[in-house]
Amino acid sequence: MSTDNKTKYKDPVVIGISGASGSILAKKTIDILLDKDIPVVATCSSAARMVWQEEMDESFQSTVSRWRENPNFSFYMTGDLKSPIASGTTPTLGMIVTPCSTATVGAIAHGISSNLLQRAADVSIKEGRKLVLVPRETPLSAIHLENMLSLARIGVTILPPEPAFYLRQQNMEDIVDYLVAKSIDALGLPGFMEDRLRYDRRTD
Ligand SMILES: Cc1cc2nc3c(=O)[nH]c(=O)nc-3n(C[C@H](O)[C@H](O)[C@H](O)COP(=O)(O)O)c2cc1C
């Protein structure tokens, strides 16, 4: 089933943006969800803003202001532990942390919850909701791998932003679109990978 059928979603997807390289992944993920009329609640760490400044042409503030024009979008500061996504009583469709730093992987793996992003991830786990992490680092140390393994064992999806070389994608945009579709698909929302694969076939 494609979301072009206008499946109506009331509950939001939570998007956490942390300070790993790959700000474009966060931007595209939110753009695509909003484009599909899926509500989004976003938060980002302080480090994520620094990385965004290095990697993106449009400032983080301008991008958030543009997103805010959409009534389906809301944003909470990293220190706002009173926000709805800090509590399990707020229903959500799950959470994607993209990109996900190894520091945030470690904090989530150990239930640290020292900022809103980590707390929202902790809530997703305790409420038994889908949590998808897109960790970007290379090489990975044994510490990183052990943290990811402990999360994978409790059902968290670890989805490193690796290109599908077999699809022979020609540019960064194609690779990012594929990874974004894959991470949304991992939440269990239908249609995103189907749309992506249809697109890939069209460009063959
Ligand atoms: C430009 C830049 C790129 C970074 N890239 C990565 C990265 O790819 N992966 C990673 O784990 N940390 C990366 N870091 C380091 C994290 O930002 C740092 O560990 C930070 O404390 C993470 O905080 P957060 O998890 O709260 O966002 C990068 C930092 C900067 C400034």
Side-chain angles (χ1 to χ4, degrees):
M1 183 181 72
S2 166
T3 46
D4 285 330
N5 296 343
K6 285 292 167 208
T7 311
K8 276 288 165 207
Y9 293 99
K10 185 166 63 67
D11 298 330
V13 171
V14 181
I15 300 294
I17 311 169
S18 73
S21 183
S23 310
I24 186 69
L25 294 165
K27 181 182 173 293
K28 280 272 177 160
T29 304
I30 294 175
D31 281 345
I32 287 178
L33 288 168
L34 292 177
D35 188 54
K36 297 278 188 184
D37 288 338
I38 298 176
V40 170
V41 179
T43 187
C44 89
S45 69
S46 318
R49 287 171 187 264
M50 290 172 57
V51 177
W52 189 287
Q53 201 175 349
E54 295 293 319
E55 297 186 345
M56 303 294 279
D57 293 332
E58 187 183 36
S59 76
F60 185 71
Q61 206 42 57
S62 309
T63 310
V64 169
S65 300
R66 193 166 43 73
W67 283 330
R68 277 194 208 271
E69 288 167 15
N70 187 321
N72 269 334
F73 179 80
S74 43
F75 180 83
Y76 294 94
M77 304 294 278
T78 186
D80 189 355
L81 291 164
K82 286 195 296 188
S83 94
I85 54 170
S87 165
T89 53
T90 303
T92 75
L93 297 176
M95 177 172 184
I96 306 174
V97 184
T98 185
C100 189
S101 72
T102 51
T104 288
V105 171
I108 297 170
H110 292 87
I112 306 281
S113 290
S114 67
N115 63 30
L116 178 60
L117 190 165
Q118 295 166 15
R119 169 64 185 165
D122 199 50
V123 165
S124 299
I125 293 170
K126 85 182 173 74
E127 298 295 331
R129 297 175 190 150
K130 282 299 296 182
L131 175 62
V132 179
L133 306 185
V134 184
R136 202 233 68 99
E137 187 52 277
T138 192
L140 292 163
S141 73
I143 296 171
H144 306 148
L145 291 165
E146 278 178 2
N147 286 335
M148 289 185 211
L149 179 60
S150 66
L151 289 168
R153 283 200 166 122
I154 58 167
V156 175
T157 300
I158 307 294
L159 200 150
E162 291 170 6
F165 295 103
Y166 53 88
L167 290 178
R168 299 189 186 208
Q169 291 155 329
Q170 297 299 306
N171 53 48
M172 170 88 94
E173 196 180 350
D174 281 354
I175 293 170
V176 167
D177 285 352
Y178 166 81
L179 291 167
V180 166
K182 189 114 181 138
S183 60
I184 298 173
D185 192 66
L187 278 186
L189 299 182
F192 289 87
M193 275 313 283
E194 287 166 35
D195 285 355
R196 186 72 216 133
L197 293 172
R198 259 200 302 279
Y199 171 77
D200 288 330
R201 277 200 292 274
R202 269 208 312 273
T203 56
D204 272 350

